[in-house]
Amino acid sequence: MKAIVQERFGPPDILRLADIDRPEIGADEVLVRIRAAALNPYDWHMMRGDPYVARLSGVVGLTRPKARVAGIDAAGEVEAVGAAVRGLRPGDEVMGFCPGSFAEFARTTADLLVRKPAHLTFEQAAAVPLGAVTALRGIRTVGLVRAGQRVLVNGAGGGVGTFAVQIAVALGAEVTGVCSARNLELVRSLGAAHAVDYAREDFTGGPTRYDVILDNVGNHPLGRLRRALTPAGTLVANGGGSPGRVFGAMGSMARLGAADLFTRQRLRPILPSPPSGPTHDDLLAVTALIGTGALSPVVDRTYPLADTAEGVRHVERGHARGKAVITVR
């Protein structure tokens, strides 16, 4: 099969298209024919082996990538199922988490998949899993957003932010989205009551106080973010970090946890990202929101499999509007 492979850590240029063996599945696994795979910051962190502390933990590999084929989000068709798998059969259209999804085939387990909503294209469906589940956890599970609350999403035009705005609106919150000027109309179209151009206005210095802030960017000091919260408000931090960072988001999360001990405000990171935590219920929840029309993926642009490196480069630069997606045919 065709796949995008990497033999060492480094920039997008190390990625190459190659012919490799199709994965073999065990009794409890599913083989998915990949039709589309989304690009995430998660992918370039894995590609670069960043942050370095993640290499010591064994998450990405110490001196070379633990996984030769990257990618996690996917949509496609079930090609084969193991003898112990129930509820899925060849030909079913699915979306979910498929490690190694930058390829024509990838293997996963049934609990990491849900059926693809029929009205979504494969490209739209591939854009859902990691971004929507992260947003759901940030807004509902950790943020505990309720109707009538004021919620601010920093980075509202990105992969997680576009989902977070919609989920908060669906829960009845008054949403403010902070984004670039080119994304203001997009964020308003997703239901945000207010859209703020970060280049023209610093939300941490304004008079409004928010019940919940979901920070997808990490471009403000903790003290400034806390100032923008109500006295008992909640700050939800979504990862971050950049290439070359030693501790990356892990250091930020540790500082957040320490500060949380000394304030009435709730300062929390989003729960561990898939596939390290339970995800099937979250996938079902976002699929239900899609089914009601409350949630729609925003696809920025698509790339053929051979141009995956360019797609990763685009996401790494922070230029993605919604999600960038690899089309695999």
Side-chain angles (χ1 to χ4, degrees):
M1 68 173 187
K2 300 290 186 184
I4 297 296
V5 302
Q6 67 174 102
E7 309 294 347
R8 59 186 178 86
F9 294 124
D13 295 341
I14 67 170
L15 301 176
R16 63 182 181 88
L17 184 67
D19 287 303
I20 64 172
D21 293 335
R22 184 187 298 189
E24 296 183 2
I25 60 172
D28 61 347
E29 293 181 314
V30 179
L31 183 66
V32 178
R33 179 186 290 271
I34 306 297
R35 296 300 188 185
L39 292 158
N40 297 286
Y42 173 90
D43 300 314
W44 62 257
H45 278 293
M46 297 300 103
M47 176 191 70
R48 290 185 177 271
D50 167 50
Y52 294 145
V53 71
R55 301 189 193 186
L56 299 176
S57 69
V59 174
V60 301
L62 184 57
T63 59
R64 58 190 302 175
K66 189 174 182 179
R68 191 179 180 210
V69 181
I72 185 70
D73 279 351
E77 300 155 343
V78 174
E79 181 74 9
V81 298
V85 173
R86 299 291 180 268
L88 290 174
R89 60 184 182 181
D92 286 345
E93 295 185 348
V94 294
M95 68 183 191
F97 302 106
C98 296
S101 62
F102 295 166
E104 292 179 322
F105 295 90
R107 65 182 179 188
T108 187
T109 53
D111 63 315
L112 295 178
L113 297 172
V114 292
R115 294 185 183 277
K116 179 181 79 68
H119 69 284
L120 294 186
T121 65
F122 284 116
E123 288 77 13
Q124 290 173 318
V128 170
L130 188 56
V133 165
T134 302
L136 184 77
R137 289 175 168 181
I139 293 296
R140 190 184 71 173
T141 308
V142 182
L144 304 176
V145 169
R146 303 185 306 275
Q149 288 188 316
R150 287 179 173 173
V151 175
L152 181 137
V153 178
N154 190 22
V160 173
T162 50
F163 286 116
V165 168
Q166 295 176 80
I167 292 170
V169 169
L171 291 172
E174 178 186 324
V175 180
T176 296
V178 180
C179 58
S180 64
R182 75 186 185 101
N183 289 331
L184 291 173
E185 288 307 313
L186 167 65
V187 169
R188 292 189 186 103
S189 74
L190 299 176
H194 314 283
V196 175
D197 176 1
Y198 70 83
R200 295 176 61 88
E201 182 180 344
D202 179 0
F203 72 88
T204 68
T208 307
R209 298 292 176 266
Y210 300 93
D211 299 293
V212 179
I213 294 175
L214 172 60
D215 183 16
N216 296 307
V217 184
N219 59 342
H220 292 282
L222 179 57
R224 298 285 293 180
L225 290 169
R226 289 184 56 197
R227 182 188 179 282
L229 284 174
T230 60
T234 298
L235 169 65
V236 183
N238 174 29
S242 58
R245 294 279 298 273
V246 176
F247 294 103
M250 296 181 186
S252 317
M253 298 305 103
R255 291 190 294 273
L256 193 73
D260 181 62
L261 299 173
F262 302 99
T263 177
R264 285 179 56 207
Q265 295 169 326
R266 297 174 67 244
L267 312 177
R268 306 293 164 83
I270 293 181
L271 300 177
S273 299
S276 60
T279 61
H280 196 250
D281 287 347
D282 289 332
L283 283 170
L284 290 174
V286 297
T287 303
L289 287 169
I290 291 170
T292 65
L295 195 65
S296 298
V298 175
V299 176
D300 174 29
R301 59 182 67 182
T302 62
Y303 298 85
L305 183 63
D307 291 343
T308 296
E310 183 56 34
V312 173
R313 192 175 291 111
H314 176 69
V315 173
E316 189 175 17
R317 289 170 179 161
H319 292 168
R321 172 186 172 98
K323 299 300 288 286
V325 175
I326 299 301
T327 298
V328 185
R329 295 295 182 187

